[in-house]
Amino acid sequence: MLNTTIGTVRKYGNKVGAAAGALVLSSGAMAQEAATHGATIVAKVEEAFSQGELIAAAVVLGLFAIFAIKLLWRSK
């Protein structure tokens, strides 16, 4: 089992190391970018929540209308 592990590390070790390095370097760049665009992201999330609330209200009202029509049909 140890030989298999060593063989795997030799085969894929460089790629894993390169991926880890890329992750570290890109996270630093993303942290700088997030600091400059933080307010924009917050505004977009708040906008999405308000649109989601409108969609949810429309769905609930639609379901209520369907239920009311169903009750009207049964009352005849």
Side-chain angles (χ1 to χ4, degrees), residues 9 14 20 52 56-57 72:
V9 169
N14 293 335
L72 285 173

Side-chain angles (χ1 to χ4, degrees), residues 5-62:
T5 304
I6 292 172
T8 305
V9 169
R10 284 183 182 156
K11 185 175 181 181
Y12 298 110
N14 293 335
K15 293 178 185 177
V16 172
L23 179 66
V24 169
L25 293 176
S26 65
S27 63
M30 288 187 65
Q32 290 176 351
E33 183 178 335
T36 58
H37 298 293
T40 306
I41 293 170
V42 170
K44 294 216 181 247
V45 169
E46 289 176 352
E47 180 183 339
F49 275 131
S50 65
Q51 289 175 354
E53 290 171 353
L54 291 174
I55 292 170
V59 168
V60 169
L61 288 175

